[in-house]
Amino acid sequence: MYGLTGGVGDVQGSLAEYAAVDARLLARTAESLSLREAAALPLAVVTSWEALVHRAQVGAGQRVLVHGGAGGVGQVAIQIARARGAEVFATGSARNLETIARLGATPIDYNATEVEDYVAAHTGGDGFDVVFDTVGGATLDRSFTAVRTYTGRVVSALGWGTHSLAPLSFRGASYSGVFTLLPLLTGQGRDAHGEILREASALADAGALRPLVDPRRFTLDTVADAHAVVEAGTSTGKIVIDVP
């Protein structure tokens, strides 16, 4: 089985149906995961891995802030950062704070706490070593004010639009963008995606990575319902589409 990612969520189907998939992008499914869980991982884990490992080089002892910690990418990012020894904090709405805490991160209600306040509370005002933005827009702007001076790194998977780099520049910190589809569009770097998936499979079997999958079942006949759930923001994990 192989999980294809994109669009509303993730698709589970037989490998024979996707015979055109580049073999460099494939990895053996972790034995500890169900097929639906495995199908939910590829896009989220590749995005998080490129951000935290390839760009930010997250390691033991660092303080990592994940914006959107209960989202499809955010929840995986929390687990990857923790597996690499970081102390993880994550923003979310009030209804998602319990999920964030269950994943092992310190939850921050972004509606109730100003950036300056949670930077002071959790870093003594120094700023986070790594800030991973999975939300974009104003959240990316806030990331520039939450990062540590000189050595801090901000990474965003949604670095679109117009942003002022002044707050980041005044800190002497750095910014990197992640565009996960680039190897698929250009053909360059596909081997790295396959290696990431193999690393993720090993993490899963070691008990350090498990995606949260929404318990509702959707098929191609009910994909519009899945779209509605995503647009409403009421999912409790990744949405998976079952393809018979």
Side-chain angles (χ1 to χ4, degrees):
M1 306 294 285
Y2 178 70
L4 295 181
T5 58
V8 64
D10 299 282
V11 180
Q12 176 187 334
S14 68
L15 184 58
E17 296 172 8
Y18 308 111
V21 173
D22 190 329
R24 292 175 294 175
L25 301 172
L26 300 179
R28 185 180 296 277
T29 300
E31 294 182 2
S32 59
L33 299 180
S34 70
L35 292 177
R36 299 185 81 245
E37 289 173 325
L41 270 181
L43 181 59
V45 79
V46 170
T47 302
S48 298
W49 198 278
E50 287 192 351
L52 296 174
V53 181
H54 292 174
R55 303 289 191 278
Q57 299 176 351
V58 167
Q62 291 185 319
R63 291 190 179 100
V64 174
L65 174 64
V66 177
H67 283 304
V73 175
Q75 51 148 307
V76 171
I78 289 172
Q79 295 177 76
I80 290 175
R82 292 189 69 239
R84 293 180 66 82
E87 182 181 5
V88 187
F89 306 80
T91 62
S93 61
R95 75 179 187 89
N96 289 323
L97 299 184
E98 183 180 347
T99 297
I100 290 171
R102 193 165 69 247
L103 291 167
T106 298
I108 300 170
D109 186 342
Y110 68 87
N111 287 315
T113 313
E114 296 295 331
V115 176
E116 294 79 7
D117 292 334
Y118 63 69
V119 168
H122 299 301
T123 73
D126 292 336
F128 296 91
D129 298 292
V130 175
V131 180
F132 181 27
D133 163 44
T134 74
V135 180
T139 300
L140 177 54
D141 295 322
R142 287 191 286 269
S143 300
F144 295 154
T145 67
V147 72
R148 178 183 288 274
T149 300
Y150 294 129
T151 58
R153 295 172 180 263
V154 175
V155 188
S156 178
L158 291 170
W160 309 330
T162 302
H163 301 273
S164 172
L165 295 178
L168 186 73
S169 298
F170 292 155
R171 285 171 172 72
S174 64
Y175 168 78
S176 297
V178 173
F179 183 36
T180 306
L181 293 179
L182 196 59
L184 301 181
L185 296 174
T186 66
Q188 299 177 358
R190 292 189 176 189
D191 289 325
H193 276 200
E195 180 58 32
I196 290 171
L197 293 180
R198 286 186 284 275
E199 293 274 6
S201 181
L203 274 183
D205 281 338
L209 177 62
R210 181 175 293 276
L212 300 178
V213 178
D214 192 282
R216 286 167 286 192
R217 306 296 289 252
F218 300 97
T219 67
L220 293 179
D221 291 333
T222 58
V223 71
D225 296 331
H227 269 288
V229 170
V230 172
E231 290 174 356
T234 59
S235 63
T236 55
K238 291 283 284 182
I239 297 294
V240 174
I241 308 299
D242 294 321
V243 179

